[in-house]
Every structure is written in C-alpha cells, then in structure tokens.
Amino acid sequence: MASPKPSRVAEAHPATPAPFLGPAFDRLGVSLGAEGGTLRVWSEDATGIDLVVFDADDLDWITATIPLAPAGGDVWQVTTPDLRVGACYALRVTGPSGPGQTFNPESLLLDPYARGLVPVRIGQWRAAVVDDAFDWNDVPRPHTPMDRTVIYEAHVKGLTKRHPDIPPALHGTYAGLGHPAMIAHLRDLGVTAVELLPIHAFETEPRLLHQGLTNYWGYNTLNFFSAHAPYATAEAVAAGPDAVLREVKTMVRDLHAAGIEVILDVVYNHTSELGLGGPRSSFRGIDNRGYYRQEDDGAYIDVTGCGNAVNTATDAAARLVLDSLRYWADNVQIDGFRFDLAVTLGRGSDNAFDPHHPLLRAIVEDPALADLKMIAEPWDVGMGGWQTGNFGSGWAEWNDRYRDRVRNFWLSDIDYARRASTSPVGIGGFATRLAGSSNTFTAERGPLASINFVTAHDGFTLRDLVSYDVKHNLGNGEQNRDGADTNRSFNHGAEGRTDDDTILATRRKAMRNLMGTLLLSAGVPMMTAGDEAGRTQRGNNNAYCHDSPLTWVNWEHAPWQEDLQAHVRRLIQLRRDNPALRPRRFARDAHVVPSASVIDWYDENGETMSIERWTDPAHRTLQYDAASTPEEEDPNRILLVVHGTERPVEVTLPTIEGVSGYVSLWSSVPDRPDTTEPLFAPGAVLTLPGTALHLFRMQ
C-alpha cells in the first residue's frame, strides 16, 4: 500500500519525547478568558478558516462570521466576546482541491475539541461552549489495585432502563447509573469497576436509519470531547450541554464515593464520517489528509472495517487522542480507558503496527494519565492486525485467547466428546490460561496484563453461549450474515428455548463452570452486565443495532437466576479473600518472586501431573495448587479441582507436606452455593459429576 503524508512521530525512538507533545498543539479548542473566548484550530492544508456563531434559539440563524488568523504550527486562532459559555458555533474551512482533499467552504463543521454539542436535526450539530465547573466534594478516585480489580462491562442505557427501583425519569441515564439502587447492586455483587460502552457523542449510521434501526452500542464517534447527550435525563438535555456534563460528573462522583471506578470504552480508531462520500461533519472538512489514513490517490486505508481509520501517525491526530484522554481523566475524573481496535492507534506511516508507537507509549507514560488503567483491544482488521500479547509495559489487553480456550474447554470440547466419545484436546492449554496466560504475556508484564473474559458486549451472552449452537441475527437486517460464525458455544441438546429439565440443569452448571473459571483465574476478570443473572439476547450475537428489551438488562429474575447471582457474588468474595487467586507476577522456578503464586499440578489421583496426562484428551481432570508469596497480605494457598468431561470422577485430594486439611469454599455442582465451608482431610476422596469445579483453601 502507498503511504500517506510522511509521519512526524512514527519513527521516533521510544525514549524520545514525541513531537505532538510540543507547544504547537497546546490549547486547541475554546479557552475562556477576560476578553471572551479564544478558539484554536489545527489544519495543515487549509487556506482559510471562519468561526460561525449562531443564535441561541435558532441554530440556523448565523449571528456572526469571524475569520481565524494563522498562529503558527498550522494552527489558526481567533479571540472574540462572541465565544462565551452557552455560545453555539461551527467552522467553515477552505483549502485546495486534489487527491485526498475534501474542503468545502459551505460545510458547517464541528470543532474537534468541542466540549459540548447541540443537535439541530438528524445528522447536524453545533458545537457549544460549556462551563466545566463542578464540585467534586473532595471525593477521591478509588485507585483499586489491578490485582483486586473486577470489571463489569455495561451499557449506560441498557443497564438501568428496566431497573424497578430507579425512578422512571432516570431510566437509561447517567443519573440512573449513579442512583443508590444501581450502586447497591454493584457493591452487593462485589465488582470494583464499571466499564462503560462508548459515552463519547456518537451518531447512528445512515444505513441503519434507513432500516429503522439504531447504533445502540455507540461505536461511531462524532466527537471525542463531548458526552453523549441522549444518555442524560430529559431535564439535563433541556438545560443544555453544561447540565449533561454535570450529570456525567455526578455519576462518576457517586460511583467513586461507593468505591467503584469508571472505565470508558473509547473509539479513537475511526469516526462517524465513515468512508469517502459519507458525512462531512468535522475531520473530513478540516484536514482530511491529516486525520485519515489514505493512499496517494486519496482512497482511504480502512483497517477498522468502518470506512475510515484515524491516522495517528500524524502529530495532530495523535495529540488529539492524547488531549481527549487528558480531558476525560482530569475534568471528568475517569479511572481508565478501554481502547477499541487499539492496533489502529499503533500503526505508523507505513501502516504497520509498532508496539513502541509514540502515541501508545505516551498514553501510558504521560504524567497526566498516571495510575489510570489502560486496556487495549489488541486487534483491528488490517494487515498484521491480531496483536494479542504484543502491547508494551503499562498496557493490559483483552485476552481473546483466554476467551476461546475457556469456551472450548467447557462447551465445544464437550459437544465434540458427545459425538466422538472423547474430547479433541487435553487440559494443558486450559491450565495455562487458568494460571495467567504466561505463554502470551511476558514475565515483565505478568498475569495482570491479561483482561480475562468469556463474554463481552460483542457476541453471545453467557446464557446464550450455553443455549445456542449458531447465531440468530435475522433481526439485524443483514440476512444473518453479520456477527461471528465461530462462537465455540454449545446448546447442550436443544437450540434455544426448551422445557427439558435435564438440558436446563446442564446449561446452568455450564454457566457456573464458565463464571467460576473467569473469577478464579489469574489475571483481571471482566464480566458482562446481566450475565450474573443469565441475561439472554435470544441467540443474537451482534445486537449492536437494537435499543430494545432485547438488549436491556432484565431485573425480574426466576429462582435459578437468583441462584446464579449468588454464585457470582460468592466467587467475587472468594477472589477478594484469597490472594493466591490473583497474583501480580508469574512465579519462576528456583526463585522466590514477590506477589506471585507458586503452582503445583496434581491429577485426579492426587499425584503430580505427568506429561501424558497434560496432553491426553481422555484425562481432563486436574488439581491446581497455588500458594501466594505475599508482600502485603497474609500467606494463602488454594486448591482448585477442575473436571472437564461429562463422566463422573472420584478425586483424591493430594497429601502435601505442611498441608493439614482442605476447607471447601465453593463448588459449581449445587444450584445454590454452599457457604458452610466443611473441612476435608488430605487423601479424602471427592466424588464429582460430569464437568465441575471445586475450590478449597489449604491449611
């Protein structure tokens, strides 16, 4: 592929400060001062930029048009009393024509640094000057250590829309998420952070609007500094962008007061301007060449699958991403970010991924972002786009290899065994994932680089994972072509709804096995909102376009759903209480590594696992012995019994020097968790039915 304009950052040495951190890009957007507002806009190729100011009540009535002047470094600037809190404005930009240039002086464009937006009509917005003042009441960030973090991925609207104890006026809103009833659920469950699907202002694609659908998930960003207003209460929306922003901050403050962190899913890899011929709302009209990856002839290099890719090999695009992160971290007190298609952000001027890309290093090294959680979705759809395990220090990553192995072990392998009388693989690969994925992440990064997940917003819910063999996406309007075809799911004998009690019981145990594995594995667990109570999307594994009861969390639970939630609550508590389950580092042979877990493996007979047992598909039972090497906590040692076939098995608890007994903490076998904690002696025989987990604390 041909390269776009030469990058000024991609070839920089990792230890060299990136040029985009220099003063040329400081104070872009609107800054308020004694003489009014100063607007600074970057465009390398523009020949002129005008500020267009609108009447407060009629957003089609232009009250002033004021030219910006060059201020050096390809930045244009104007200071005017017309830019005050509440002012609505747009930009008009003129420039040359030619390959890759899409200037149109008639287009009314959004300031990329606008802190607030006001809708005019479908597809048209005005930037707004906002008042950032807010009283945080001295509420601190929780700063939950990574090893104690349990992430709860949620959609602001979907989580709260149907909650019976949240007032109807707050359903589906930021205020609803910060409501005491919602916080009580999160605290009772034991999660430490909510990871919110995008709340940057976004739009629905024209294609979906024509089908009568909507972009529900929000991965179609319109602006990187403004909050999505439709998630605010009607009262806040009517009061304007200032009130919307205050509602977001109030939500964050209330969650922080409850000890819960807020992580934002951010989409810096592409924008809602889509492919060439799509909307011209901001970047495309300001400097198309500077913001989007292109061939020499102007054709877009789309490594995101969304029509365009933001070109973070240019200083301006890289600095905009960093400035947006700084704004949300400082002004809104956000605790961390999950970067959608993060590989795109790490591509240089040659469009190849570089784990030392200056932007990727700046994100985790910038003092303004210190101590925040940075999580990469380590893939995109371009050449060399699958990079799990290859991000540098300071980054955590969604571990899709963990997801796939755990699903295989408990679901598709079991399906295979029913048909072939044996599983396709042994237990070794599963054990590696259980112990922190040391085959994916370096010793320097350790197990906490792995964000473990079994489900996410994208794909089957936990309940659907055990209830469907194939996707059922006809409601998406694409003849069931969209969504993943390889789900590693298993319906256990019937597709979807069934009244067969045996199948239903087996599905429930499968959900307990999956959730138990997730919450007892080394690494950082992420669960999906509603999975704690068996939420279903009726087999739709790509429900991005449904804003309806299909995607909203249902808070009316059958008894079995309450039982599942009790299991999740118990598992999170046990993870918190047993540091051996959450090591910060990988252990090393013949070395004592602080805050690691020293691991031994035993078979069902209580004997050390042999090489043959690791690889033999007929032997899928092991005992996972993890002993902590603490720095701040008391020593702790656990034994997790894993049985991965549908045949019952007798397990002999190992006889180990210094171990006098095994306290039973949790089992996936009963419908309701047993919290009586009976004691078992070394050498005791434990009878397990098919497919089960059992956790002990060793004493």
Side-chain angles (χ1 to χ4, degrees), residues 81-340:
D82 289 308
L83 286 175
R84 56 190 179 275
V85 171
C88 293
Y89 68 101
L91 306 173
R92 281 182 171 150
V93 183
T94 57
S97 60
Q101 307 287 14
T102 54
F103 293 105
N104 184 336
E106 299 303 312
S107 296
L108 293 169
L109 305 170
L110 291 175
D111 172 10
Y113 281 73
R115 267 57 167 178
L117 301 182
V118 178
V120 181
R121 58 187 63 86
I122 292 178
Q124 291 191 21
W125 303 76
R126 303 288 182 252
V129 181
V130 302
D131 179 2
D132 281 344
F134 184 75
D135 185 357
W136 289 96
N137 292 341
D138 295 323
V139 174
R141 284 190 170 106
H143 286 301
T144 307
M146 204 66 167
D147 64 300
R148 290 180 172 271
T149 296
V150 178
I151 299 172
Y152 187 80
E153 190 201 34
H155 188 284
V156 168
K157 182 174 184 178
L159 183 62
T160 62
K161 179 66 176 175
R162 303 175 76 179
H163 198 295
D165 298 325
I166 294 176
L170 306 186
H171 280 169
T173 68
Y174 302 116
L177 180 53
H179 188 272
M182 193 69 250
I183 289 175
H185 173 72
L186 298 172
R187 285 179 58 85
D188 178 66
L189 204 57
V191 298
T192 69
V194 289
E195 181 177 302
L196 301 179
L197 269 66
I199 68 166
H200 287 172
F202 65 86
E203 288 192 295
T204 291
E205 298 89 327
R207 172 185 61 83
L208 290 177
L209 290 174
H210 293 155
Q211 293 180 285
L213 298 171
T214 186
N215 188 319
Y216 172 68
W217 285 350
Y219 293 87
N220 197 45
T221 307
L222 177 66
N223 179 273
F224 295 132
F225 290 83
S226 303
H228 191 59
Y231 292 163
T233 56
E235 181 181 4
V237 171
D242 290 357
V244 171
L245 182 57
R246 283 194 298 273
E247 187 173 315
V248 174
K249 292 179 178 180
T250 301
M251 171 196 73
V252 174
R253 184 184 64 193
D254 291 346
L255 287 165
H256 282 179
I260 299 169
E261 294 185 315
V262 180
I263 298 170
L264 296 188
D265 195 334
V266 286
V267 189
Y268 294 117
N269 59 81
H270 75 281
T271 76
S272 63
E273 291 184 307
L274 307 175
L276 284 170
R280 184 190 286 107
S281 58
S282 187
F283 291 175
R284 180 168 290 143
I286 293 172
D287 198 306
N288 188 52
R289 267 290 190 193
Y291 280 117
Y292 293 122
R293 295 186 179 274
Q294 299 174 41
E295 304 278 8
D296 288 338
D297 63 2
Y300 277 2
I301 298 171
D302 178 12
V303 296
T304 67
C306 300
N308 65 60
V310 173
N311 187 7
T312 52
T314 69
D315 293 350
R319 178 61 183 266
L320 181 136
V321 170
L322 197 65
D323 283 345
S324 172
L325 294 170
R326 289 167 162 176
Y327 173 76
W328 288 93
D330 178 52
N331 197 273
V332 193
Q333 296 289 289
I334 296 302
D335 303 285
F337 301 90
R338 178 268 188 189
F339 294 81
D340 182 67

Side-chain angles (χ1 to χ4, degrees), residues 51-55 58-66 88 90 92 106 108 126:
L51 165 66
V52 181
V53 183
F54 297 89
D55 179 78
D58 184 349
L59 294 176
D60 289 316
W61 180 12
I62 297 173
T63 60
T65 300
I66 308 167
C88 293
R92 281 182 171 150
E106 299 303 312
L108 293 169
R126 303 288 182 252

